[in-house]
Amino acid sequence: MGKAPRPQSFWSLGLAAVTLGSQRRAGNRRHGGARGDERGQELLRGASPGRLRTTMWERVRKALLNSLSTTFLRIWKWARAFWCKNGLLTLSVLSVATGCLLGFLLRALELTELEKQYFSFPGELLMRMLKMLILPLITSSLMSGLATMDSKACGKMGVITITYYLWTTFMAVTVGIILVVSIHPGAAAQKDDYSVGKVVLSSADALLDLIRNMFPSNLIEASFQQYRTVLVPVVKSPGFPKIPGKSLSFIYFAPDDENPEIHRPVFLELTPSPEMTYRTLPGTSNEMNVLGIVIFSATIGLLLGKMGERGTPLVNVCQCLNEAVMKIVSMAVWYFPFGIVFLIAGKILEMEDPSVIGQKLGLYAITVVSGLVIHGLILLPLLFVLITKKNPFVFIQGILQALLIALATSSSSATLPITLKCLLENNGIDRRVARFVLPVGATINMDGTALYEAVAAIFIAQVNEYDLDLGQIITISITATAASIGAAGIPQSGLVTMVIVLTSVGLPTDDITLIIAVDWALDRFRTMTNVLGDALAAGIIAHVCEKDFTPKRPPQDPVSNTEKSPPAETSHLQPKDNVIEMIEETLLDQTGVHYNICQV
């Protein structure tokens, strides 16, 4: 008897079946391919030329449709991703270009003042929306940001922030002075003889107003007004003194109308002009006192941080308020492209003849814009690279939306909500750093304004053919740096603080009227420089203070530092070990197989 065949396992039978099936399929493919070739040759022999062309055309059409559908799908996916990431920025860029084009086209219609006001209404709504968010954003961001910081880290960040702002402002002033001395734009400008001077404040009164606004007497009033000294004219008529032996009347002989040879006497009595004096009185201006609100909010935030748990409820309220304001900004930001069109077009409709302005102040405008470009696109990014070792233009790309809003509104305070949103969402800046650096920067960091004031002061000196020595130029640089700190983040605030710079070197303050014609346009470019400086400062300070804001390890239990910590850990893990042993015994009883279970 032969040996019985050895029973094969289930896996061996399955493997043999799979092998046999694959061999059969391969043979069928070979025979089928041969038969298919024979059938194709028979069809080709019996098919007509028209049918062959139809078959070829269908194949080509299917291939083209497949390729086109694939290409269209790729383009659609790319466009959708680009729109989700840069859709709002693209709309803002298009709105700026559309506003400029629409404004110059509508100048030919010569609209009335009322029609211009109606046309600019959507842009006015944009400004009102942004100004509405300034007060709750500044107070909530400063209070919640400083309250959650360590006092040492907060002090270090504050010193670094103010030092950086002062240094970049002085750099901007230096760039402006070098350019205006080199280009000498005052030689091409002409001074109007008929310009009427306007009485302005002295530098001492302007400086005292700045200090008064740092400490507002009423916080509610500071949210919509700020202190400003008012000059009231006082007419002092001393009377004409009687001089013995001299008559106060003068006799003139005028020719007669009928007979010119006859002269009639005309008696004229001269009345002396009254003596005008100006008295300073306390007054207000309808502008938010941003400086006073920033100082108060920062003080409250520091004190809330030191109060500990007692200040936690108010800190939570500020954090919730800040998040709510940012959600409002996220919703309102889609209205901005529509409002920018009418805001820019309305400003272009209000300006004077561009050709006349270009002839008088074109070289001056080129000097200011060149200084802003050098400072904003060369010096500040270079400083960013040296400190952070990162690409500054990638960082700037994340805040393009804020720069466009600054160009449209010419207000760094109104741009503050958009700047904060861009830094948090696009550039990933620490929330605590952004909440402190941006409100302070919107108040005291005015690089573009400082450069503008230095250029304008030396330009006025050049128009009046007044030679400045080195000491006066240094005085202008120092006063321009100091005056820009007090410039509020509102449109055309540099004209107010310009008085301090002009009076410091004895220049006529009446000549400020020379540059008013182009101030509205230059104000937008220097606001962009101010916002760019604030954003880059936030990135630099976040990098420098990164170690101070890293999450610290939670404090350990004092018992764990004693010698009894190992027994505590053993007793803590002992119940888990007992459970594992019970599971192993249960599996051994049920299956008869011993399992080793390890705790990971």
Side-chain angles (χ1 to χ4, degrees):
M1 292 180 62
K3 294 184 179 179
R6 189 175 180 180
Q8 297 182 354
S9 63
F10 174 78
W11 297 107
S12 301
L13 292 175
L15 181 60
V18 169
T19 306
L20 181 60
S22 61
Q23 292 175 356
R24 288 180 178 175
R25 282 194 297 269
N28 291 335
R29 279 197 298 270
R30 287 195 297 270
H31 295 293
R35 287 195 295 267
D37 293 339
E38 294 176 358
R39 291 173 184 170
Q41 291 176 2
E42 291 177 358
L43 290 174
L44 289 175
R45 293 192 195 99
S48 62
R51 186 176 179 183
L52 287 176
R53 284 196 297 269
T54 305
T55 306
M56 293 296 294
W57 170 246
E58 289 180 356
R59 292 181 179 178
V60 172
R61 186 170 60 85
K62 289 181 180 179
L64 287 176
L65 288 176
N66 291 333
S67 61
L68 288 176
S69 61
T70 305
T71 305
F72 179 76
L73 185 60
R74 290 179 181 176
I75 294 175
W76 170 254
K77 289 182 179 179
W78 176 84
R80 185 177 180 182
F82 179 83
W83 177 259
C84 293
K85 185 178 181 181
N86 302 313
L88 189 60
L89 178 61
T90 306
L91 288 178
S92 300
V93 174
L94 293 177
S95 63
V96 171
T98 306
C100 295
L101 181 62
L102 186 62
F104 283 108
L105 289 177
L106 291 179
R107 284 181 63 88
L109 299 179
E110 297 181 357
L111 301 177
T112 62
E113 293 297 327
L114 186 60
E115 291 173 344
K116 293 177 183 177
Q117 183 179 356
Y118 290 158
F119 179 79
S120 303
F121 179 71
E124 181 185 355
L125 286 183
L126 172 62
M127 289 295 298
R128 296 176 74 89
M129 287 167 123
L130 291 172
K131 290 181 179 180
M132 174 186 67
L133 302 173
I134 294 175
L135 180 62
L137 185 64
I138 289 179
T139 53
S140 62
S141 61
L142 279 176
M143 288 184 185
S144 61
L146 295 179
T148 55
M149 291 185 194
D150 184 40
S151 58
K152 293 182 180 180
C154 184
K156 177 183 176 181
M157 186 176 66
V159 171
I160 294 175
T161 302
I162 295 176
T163 304
Y164 174 81
Y165 282 156
L166 292 176
W167 173 249
T168 55
T169 304
F170 186 75
M171 286 171 54
V173 171
T174 305
V175 170
I177 291 175
I178 292 174
L179 286 178
V180 72
V181 172
S182 303
I183 300 176
H184 206 276
Q190 296 178 356
K191 184 176 179 180
D192 296 331
D193 297 331
Y194 58 87
S195 61
V196 180
K198 181 182 178 182
V199 179
V200 293
L201 289 175
S202 63
S203 59
D205 290 332
L207 182 61
L208 291 178
D209 286 351
L210 173 64
I211 299 175
R212 290 188 185 103
N213 286 323
M214 294 173 65
F215 306 98
S217 59
N218 191 336
L219 285 176
I220 306 299
E221 182 183 1
S223 61
F224 57 89
Q225 284 183 348
Q226 60 176 299
Y227 186 93
R228 179 171 293 178
T229 301
V230 180
L231 294 178
V232 179
V234 178
V235 180
K236 186 178 181 182
S237 180
F240 203 83
K242 297 285 185 179
I243 301 176
K246 291 186 178 181
S247 176
L248 298 179
S249 301
F250 295 87
I251 300 175
Y252 291 90
F253 293 94
D256 187 53
D257 295 335
E258 298 179 356
N259 189 2
E261 296 180 359
I262 301 176
H263 297 275
R264 292 184 177 183
V266 178
F267 293 93
L268 296 177
E269 183 176 354
L270 297 181
T271 303
S273 60
E275 182 181 356
M276 298 290 295
T277 60
Y278 292 92
R279 185 176 59 181
T280 58
L281 294 177
T284 57
S285 61
N286 295 326
E287 300 162 359
M288 183 184 298
N289 186 4
V290 182
L291 184 60
I293 293 174
V294 165
I295 292 179
F296 175 79
S297 302
T299 306
I300 293 294
L302 291 173
L303 295 178
L304 286 175
K306 293 184 177 180
M307 290 174 62
E309 295 182 356
R310 293 181 297 169
T312 303
L314 184 55
V315 174
N316 293 335
V317 170
C318 294
Q319 289 178 347
C320 294
L321 179 61
N322 186 265
E323 292 179 5
V325 171
M326 296 309 298
K327 289 184 181 297
I328 294 175
V329 172
S330 300
M331 293 186 293
V333 78
W334 291 101
Y335 174 78
F336 293 167
F338 180 74
I340 287 173
V341 174
F342 296 92
L343 191 62
I344 294 181
K347 289 296 180 182
I348 293 177
L349 288 174
E350 294 175 0
M351 73 176 185
E352 301 176 6
D353 189 4
S355 60
V356 177
I357 297 175
Q359 292 176 359
K360 292 183 179 180
L361 301 172
L363 196 57
Y364 163 73
I366 291 174
T367 305
V368 174
V369 173
S370 300
L372 295 176
V373 169
I374 292 174
H375 180 73
L377 297 181
I378 297 177
L379 294 182
L380 290 180
L382 182 62
L383 197 61
F384 185 85
V385 169
L386 294 177
I387 296 177
T388 64
K389 304 296 188 298
K390 298 178 182 178
N391 188 356
F393 297 102
V394 176
F395 188 90
I396 294 174
Q397 184 180 0
I399 59 168
L400 284 179
Q401 177 69 31
L403 296 180
L404 291 175
I405 297 296
L407 177 65
T409 60
S410 71
S411 174
S412 55
S413 297
T415 316
L416 181 60
I418 311 300
T419 311
L420 184 60
K421 179 177 181 294
C422 292
L423 287 181
L424 295 180
E425 296 181 0
N426 299 336
N427 294 333
I429 300 299
D430 190 283
R431 187 178 298 271
R432 294 167 292 181
V433 176
R435 285 176 177 176
F436 173 78
V437 175
L438 288 183
V440 174
T443 308
I444 68 174
N445 183 36
M446 300 290 176
D447 294 348
T449 304
L451 186 147
Y452 167 80
E453 290 178 351
V455 172
I458 299 179
F459 170 77
I460 291 174
Q462 293 174 354
V463 171
N464 290 277
E465 297 181 355
Y466 187 82
D467 295 330
L468 298 174
D469 55 13
L470 181 60
Q472 290 174 323
I473 291 177
I474 294 175
T475 303
I476 288 176
S477 64
I478 296 174
T479 52
T481 304
S484 65
I485 296 175
I490 57 175
Q492 298 184 351
S493 61
L495 292 177
V496 180
T497 56
M498 180 88 60
V499 180
I500 302 175
V501 183
L502 294 177
T503 55
S504 64
V505 290
L507 293 174
T509 56
D510 300 343
D511 290 342
I512 293 179
T513 55
L514 291 173
I515 59 177
I516 288 180
V518 294
D519 183 72
W520 73 272
L522 297 179
D523 189 21
R524 282 158 164 69
F525 291 104
R526 66 175 183 256
T527 303
M528 290 179 66
T529 307
N530 295 337
V531 172
L532 177 62
D534 296 343
L536 290 176
I540 290 175
I541 294 169
H543 176 78
V544 173
C545 302
E546 183 178 4
K547 295 181 180 179
D548 298 330
F549 296 108
T550 53
K552 299 180 180 180
R553 295 181 179 179
Q556 296 180 355
D557 192 0
V559 180
S560 62
N561 296 328
T562 60
E563 297 179 354
K564 298 181 180 180
S565 57
E569 293 181 359
T570 305
S571 60
H572 180 69
L573 295 176
Q574 189 173 0
K576 294 183 180 179
D577 295 337
N578 293 335
V579 171
I580 291 173
E581 292 177 359
M582 292 174 61
I583 294 174
E584 291 176 355
E585 293 175 358
T586 305
L587 291 175
L588 178 61
D589 295 335
Q590 293 180 356
T591 62
V593 181
H594 188 272
Y595 291 90
N596 290 325
I597 299 177
C598 301
Q599 180 184 2
V600 180

